[in-house]
mmCIF file of all heavy atoms in Angstrom:
data_model
loop_
_atom_site.group_PDB
_atom_site.id
_atom_site.type_symbol
_atom_site.label_atom_id
_atom_site.label_comp_id
_atom_site.label_asym_id
_atom_site.label_seq_id
_atom_site.Cartn_x
_atom_site.Cartn_y
_atom_site.Cartn_z
ATOM 1 N N PHE A 564 -20.249 38.527 -24.881
ATOM 2 C CA PHE A 564 -20.302 37.406 -25.746
ATOM 3 C C PHE A 564 -19.916 37.587 -27.114
ATOM 4 O O PHE A 564 -19.383 36.651 -27.750
ATOM 5 C CB PHE A 564 -21.742 36.807 -25.689
ATOM 6 C CG PHE A 564 -22.260 36.475 -24.345
ATOM 7 C CD1 PHE A 564 -23.503 36.823 -23.880
ATOM 8 C CD2 PHE A 564 -21.457 35.726 -23.346
ATOM 9 C CE1 PHE A 564 -23.881 36.497 -22.628
ATOM 10 C CE2 PHE A 564 -21.840 35.451 -22.113
ATOM 11 C CZ PHE A 564 -23.080 35.811 -21.757
ATOM 12 N N GLU A 565 -20.133 38.790 -27.739
ATOM 13 C CA GLU A 565 -19.718 39.027 -29.081
ATOM 14 C C GLU A 565 -18.441 39.872 -29.226
ATOM 15 O O GLU A 565 -17.617 39.611 -30.069
ATOM 16 C CB GLU A 565 -20.906 39.652 -29.873
ATOM 17 C CG GLU A 565 -22.080 38.800 -29.956
ATOM 18 C CD GLU A 565 -23.280 39.515 -30.470
ATOM 19 O OE1 GLU A 565 -23.126 40.589 -31.132
ATOM 20 O OE2 GLU A 565 -24.428 39.046 -30.230
ATOM 21 N N LYS A 566 -18.293 40.875 -28.329
ATOM 22 C CA LYS A 566 -17.136 41.764 -28.363
ATOM 23 C C LYS A 566 -15.942 41.296 -27.551
ATOM 24 O O LYS A 566 -14.948 41.890 -27.547
ATOM 25 C CB LYS A 566 -17.566 43.152 -27.984
ATOM 26 C CG LYS A 566 -18.690 43.768 -28.749
ATOM 27 C CD LYS A 566 -18.373 43.963 -30.219
ATOM 28 C CE LYS A 566 -19.611 44.655 -30.882
ATOM 29 N NZ LYS A 566 -19.512 44.808 -32.251
ATOM 30 N N ASN A 567 -16.219 40.304 -26.693
ATOM 31 C CA ASN A 567 -15.242 39.646 -25.829
ATOM 32 C C ASN A 567 -14.531 40.529 -24.856
ATOM 33 O O ASN A 567 -13.354 40.464 -24.633
ATOM 34 C CB ASN A 567 -14.166 38.989 -26.737
ATOM 35 C CG ASN A 567 -13.481 37.738 -25.977
ATOM 36 O OD1 ASN A 567 -14.151 37.183 -25.188
ATOM 37 N ND2 ASN A 567 -12.295 37.568 -26.319
ATOM 38 N N PHE A 568 -15.327 41.408 -24.193
ATOM 39 C CA PHE A 568 -14.923 42.268 -23.136
ATOM 40 C C PHE A 568 -15.304 41.534 -21.840
ATOM 41 O O PHE A 568 -16.433 41.318 -21.736
ATOM 42 C CB PHE A 568 -15.415 43.673 -23.182
ATOM 43 C CG PHE A 568 -14.727 44.582 -24.143
ATOM 44 C CD1 PHE A 568 -15.100 44.610 -25.517
ATOM 45 C CD2 PHE A 568 -13.726 45.435 -23.688
ATOM 46 C CE1 PHE A 568 -14.453 45.474 -26.391
ATOM 47 C CE2 PHE A 568 -13.083 46.295 -24.629
ATOM 48 C CZ PHE A 568 -13.470 46.364 -25.969
ATOM 49 N N TYR A 569 -14.350 41.415 -20.941
ATOM 50 C CA TYR A 569 -14.691 40.757 -19.616
ATOM 51 C C TYR A 569 -13.875 41.545 -18.574
ATOM 52 O O TYR A 569 -12.968 42.333 -18.855
ATOM 53 C CB TYR A 569 -14.313 39.323 -19.604
ATOM 54 C CG TYR A 569 -15.201 38.414 -20.378
ATOM 55 C CD1 TYR A 569 -15.044 38.155 -21.719
ATOM 56 C CD2 TYR A 569 -16.386 37.889 -19.774
ATOM 57 C CE1 TYR A 569 -15.944 37.355 -22.469
ATOM 58 C CE2 TYR A 569 -17.269 37.129 -20.436
ATOM 59 C CZ TYR A 569 -17.098 36.874 -21.758
ATOM 60 O OH TYR A 569 -17.930 36.086 -22.462
ATOM 61 N N PHE A 570 -14.254 41.224 -17.307
ATOM 62 C CA PHE A 570 -13.433 41.786 -16.219
ATOM 63 C C PHE A 570 -12.026 41.148 -16.215
ATOM 64 O O PHE A 570 -11.964 39.984 -16.584
ATOM 65 C CB PHE A 570 -14.051 41.438 -14.858
ATOM 66 C CG PHE A 570 -15.427 42.099 -14.644
ATOM 67 C CD1 PHE A 570 -16.643 41.459 -14.813
ATOM 68 C CD2 PHE A 570 -15.434 43.497 -14.261
ATOM 69 C CE1 PHE A 570 -17.810 42.158 -14.590
ATOM 70 C CE2 PHE A 570 -16.685 44.106 -14.040
ATOM 71 C CZ PHE A 570 -17.876 43.446 -14.201
ATOM 72 N N SER A 571 -10.995 41.935 -15.814
ATOM 73 C CA SER A 571 -9.726 41.336 -15.708
ATOM 74 C C SER A 571 -9.646 40.399 -14.490
ATOM 75 O O SER A 571 -10.013 40.930 -13.410
ATOM 76 C CB SER A 571 -8.685 42.457 -15.636
ATOM 77 O OG SER A 571 -7.429 41.866 -15.269
ATOM 78 N N ASN A 572 -9.190 39.232 -14.665
ATOM 79 C CA ASN A 572 -9.052 38.357 -13.519
ATOM 80 C C ASN A 572 -7.958 38.727 -12.558
ATOM 81 O O ASN A 572 -7.701 38.118 -11.506
ATOM 82 C CB ASN A 572 -8.802 36.861 -13.976
ATOM 83 C CG ASN A 572 -10.071 36.365 -14.679
ATOM 84 O OD1 ASN A 572 -11.152 36.789 -14.444
ATOM 85 N ND2 ASN A 572 -9.884 35.262 -15.432
ATOM 86 N N ASP A 573 -7.121 39.754 -12.941
ATOM 87 C CA ASP A 573 -6.006 40.179 -12.122
ATOM 88 C C ASP A 573 -6.418 40.937 -10.896
ATOM 89 O O ASP A 573 -5.578 41.150 -9.978
ATOM 90 C CB ASP A 573 -5.061 41.033 -13.064
ATOM 91 C CG ASP A 573 -4.394 40.200 -14.071
ATOM 92 O OD1 ASP A 573 -4.237 38.972 -14.008
ATOM 93 O OD2 ASP A 573 -4.060 40.821 -15.130
ATOM 94 N N TYR A 574 -7.620 41.435 -10.931
ATOM 95 C CA TYR A 574 -8.063 42.362 -9.875
ATOM 96 C C TYR A 574 -8.971 41.730 -8.820
ATOM 97 O O TYR A 574 -9.733 40.929 -9.155
ATOM 98 C CB TYR A 574 -8.715 43.596 -10.446
ATOM 99 C CG TYR A 574 -7.806 44.422 -11.312
ATOM 100 C CD1 TYR A 574 -8.083 44.628 -12.645
ATOM 101 C CD2 TYR A 574 -6.614 44.950 -10.863
ATOM 102 C CE1 TYR A 574 -7.265 45.349 -13.496
ATOM 103 C CE2 TYR A 574 -5.760 45.663 -11.660
ATOM 104 C CZ TYR A 574 -6.102 45.852 -13.003
ATOM 105 O OH TYR A 574 -5.304 46.640 -13.840
ATOM 106 N N ASN A 575 -8.887 42.251 -7.571
ATOM 107 C CA ASN A 575 -9.779 41.867 -6.485
ATOM 108 C C ASN A 575 -10.805 42.972 -6.232
ATOM 109 O O ASN A 575 -11.825 42.745 -5.728
ATOM 110 C CB ASN A 575 -9.036 41.456 -5.164
ATOM 111 C CG ASN A 575 -8.468 40.186 -5.256
ATOM 112 O OD1 ASN A 575 -9.104 39.211 -5.587
ATOM 113 N ND2 ASN A 575 -7.182 40.073 -4.956
ATOM 114 N N ILE A 576 -10.373 44.273 -6.445
ATOM 115 C CA ILE A 576 -11.174 45.369 -6.084
ATOM 116 C C ILE A 576 -11.517 46.315 -7.159
ATOM 117 O O ILE A 576 -12.646 46.831 -7.329
ATOM 118 C CB ILE A 576 -10.464 46.156 -4.913
ATOM 119 C CG1 ILE A 576 -10.334 45.224 -3.709
ATOM 120 C CG2 ILE A 576 -11.194 47.442 -4.550
ATOM 121 C CD1 ILE A 576 -9.626 45.772 -2.557
ATOM 122 N N ILE A 577 -10.604 46.624 -8.097
ATOM 123 C CA ILE A 577 -10.783 47.720 -9.066
ATOM 124 C C ILE A 577 -11.199 47.064 -10.444
ATOM 125 O O ILE A 577 -11.167 47.853 -11.496
ATOM 126 C CB ILE A 577 -9.553 48.646 -9.205
ATOM 127 C CG1 ILE A 577 -8.441 47.899 -9.875
ATOM 128 C CG2 ILE A 577 -9.236 49.254 -7.896
ATOM 129 C CD1 ILE A 577 -7.349 48.799 -10.433
ATOM 130 N N GLY A 578 -11.676 45.920 -10.527
ATOM 131 C CA GLY A 578 -12.033 45.252 -11.790
ATOM 132 C C GLY A 578 -13.126 45.971 -12.473
ATOM 133 O O GLY A 578 -13.089 46.095 -13.771
ATOM 134 N N ASP A 579 -14.119 46.524 -11.813
ATOM 135 C CA ASP A 579 -15.185 47.266 -12.491
ATOM 136 C C ASP A 579 -14.660 48.574 -13.057
ATOM 137 O O ASP A 579 -14.989 48.942 -14.167
ATOM 138 C CB ASP A 579 -16.385 47.454 -11.555
ATOM 139 C CG ASP A 579 -16.104 48.039 -10.255
ATOM 140 O OD1 ASP A 579 -15.108 47.646 -9.639
ATOM 141 O OD2 ASP A 579 -16.802 48.941 -9.713
ATOM 142 N N PHE A 580 -13.837 49.232 -12.294
ATOM 143 C CA PHE A 580 -13.202 50.550 -12.778
ATOM 144 C C PHE A 580 -12.435 50.256 -14.070
ATOM 145 O O PHE A 580 -12.572 50.956 -15.047
ATOM 146 C CB PHE A 580 -12.222 51.076 -11.674
ATOM 147 C CG PHE A 580 -11.419 52.212 -12.126
ATOM 148 C CD1 PHE A 580 -11.738 53.497 -12.018
ATOM 149 C CD2 PHE A 580 -10.128 51.930 -12.733
ATOM 150 C CE1 PHE A 580 -10.929 54.506 -12.442
ATOM 151 C CE2 PHE A 580 -9.295 52.970 -13.104
ATOM 152 C CZ PHE A 580 -9.685 54.274 -12.991
ATOM 153 N N ASP A 581 -11.646 49.182 -14.039
ATOM 154 C CA ASP A 581 -10.795 48.832 -15.228
ATOM 155 C C ASP A 581 -11.738 48.523 -16.429
ATOM 156 O O ASP A 581 -11.516 48.979 -17.583
ATOM 157 C CB ASP A 581 -9.924 47.646 -14.854
ATOM 158 C CG ASP A 581 -9.340 47.005 -16.159
ATOM 159 O OD1 ASP A 581 -8.395 47.638 -16.734
ATOM 160 O OD2 ASP A 581 -9.694 45.883 -16.514
ATOM 161 N N LEU A 582 -12.745 47.699 -16.217
ATOM 162 C CA LEU A 582 -13.660 47.322 -17.350
ATOM 163 C C LEU A 582 -14.362 48.594 -17.886
ATOM 164 O O LEU A 582 -14.372 48.764 -19.122
ATOM 165 C CB LEU A 582 -14.649 46.292 -16.869
ATOM 166 C CG LEU A 582 -15.720 45.925 -17.958
ATOM 167 C CD1 LEU A 582 -14.987 45.156 -19.082
ATOM 168 C CD2 LEU A 582 -16.794 45.028 -17.412
ATOM 169 N N PHE A 583 -14.960 49.354 -17.037
ATOM 170 C CA PHE A 583 -15.731 50.563 -17.531
ATOM 171 C C PHE A 583 -14.822 51.554 -18.190
ATOM 172 O O PHE A 583 -15.250 52.229 -19.178
ATOM 173 C CB PHE A 583 -16.687 51.062 -16.490
ATOM 174 C CG PHE A 583 -17.670 50.100 -15.956
ATOM 175 C CD1 PHE A 583 -17.881 49.737 -14.723
ATOM 176 C CD2 PHE A 583 -18.446 49.384 -16.981
ATOM 177 C CE1 PHE A 583 -18.794 48.846 -14.302
ATOM 178 C CE2 PHE A 583 -19.379 48.420 -16.560
ATOM 179 C CZ PHE A 583 -19.522 48.145 -15.168
ATOM 180 N N PHE A 584 -13.620 51.722 -17.773
ATOM 181 C CA PHE A 584 -12.674 52.537 -18.354
ATOM 182 C C PHE A 584 -12.364 52.084 -19.784
ATOM 183 O O PHE A 584 -12.387 52.858 -20.747
ATOM 184 C CB PHE A 584 -11.306 52.612 -17.590
ATOM 185 C CG PHE A 584 -10.314 53.502 -18.178
ATOM 186 C CD1 PHE A 584 -10.457 54.885 -18.063
ATOM 187 C CD2 PHE A 584 -9.223 52.925 -18.825
ATOM 188 C CE1 PHE A 584 -9.426 55.717 -18.757
ATOM 189 C CE2 PHE A 584 -8.215 53.782 -19.450
ATOM 190 C CZ PHE A 584 -8.407 55.123 -19.404
ATOM 191 N N ARG A 585 -12.141 50.765 -19.910
ATOM 192 C CA ARG A 585 -11.874 50.220 -21.250
ATOM 193 C C ARG A 585 -13.109 50.379 -22.155
ATOM 194 O O ARG A 585 -12.970 50.627 -23.390
ATOM 195 C CB ARG A 585 -11.444 48.781 -21.148
ATOM 196 C CG ARG A 585 -10.041 48.554 -20.614
ATOM 197 C CD ARG A 585 -9.613 47.111 -20.651
ATOM 198 N NE ARG A 585 -10.244 46.388 -19.498
ATOM 199 C CZ ARG A 585 -10.922 45.218 -19.725
ATOM 200 N NH1 ARG A 585 -11.022 44.725 -20.916
ATOM 201 N NH2 ARG A 585 -11.425 44.568 -18.670
ATOM 202 N N LEU A 586 -14.297 50.097 -21.590
ATOM 203 C CA LEU A 586 -15.475 50.254 -22.452
ATOM 204 C C LEU A 586 -15.865 51.595 -22.736
ATOM 205 O O LEU A 586 -16.501 51.849 -23.860
ATOM 206 C CB LEU A 586 -16.698 49.606 -21.649
ATOM 207 C CG LEU A 586 -16.651 48.116 -21.241
ATOM 208 C CD1 LEU A 586 -17.826 47.724 -20.427
ATOM 209 C CD2 LEU A 586 -16.585 47.263 -22.613
ATOM 210 N N SER A 587 -15.405 52.661 -22.056
ATOM 211 C CA SER A 587 -15.785 53.997 -22.261
ATOM 212 C C SER A 587 -15.255 54.539 -23.588
ATOM 213 O O SER A 587 -15.715 55.515 -24.189
ATOM 214 C CB SER A 587 -15.298 54.988 -21.159
ATOM 215 O OG SER A 587 -13.849 55.018 -21.160
ATOM 216 N N GLU A 588 -14.224 53.849 -24.138
ATOM 217 C CA GLU A 588 -13.677 54.177 -25.383
ATOM 218 C C GLU A 588 -14.350 53.653 -26.586
ATOM 219 O O GLU A 588 -14.244 54.136 -27.693
ATOM 220 C CB GLU A 588 -12.184 53.750 -25.470
ATOM 221 C CG GLU A 588 -11.290 54.390 -24.475
ATOM 222 C CD GLU A 588 -9.846 53.924 -24.534
ATOM 223 O OE1 GLU A 588 -9.665 52.700 -24.485
ATOM 224 O OE2 GLU A 588 -8.982 54.832 -24.689
#
Side-chain angles (χ1 to χ4, degrees):
F564 302 135
E565 295 170 22
K566 306 293 184 185
N567 206 29
F568 280 85
Y569 285 91
F570 293 102
S571 170
N572 291 339
D573 295 333
Y574 298 121
N575 281 311
I576 297 175
I577 69 161
D579 51 318
F580 170 90
D581 169 71
L582 178 66
F583 298 128
F584 179 74
R585 289 184 284 126
L586 295 176
S587 70
E588 297 180 304

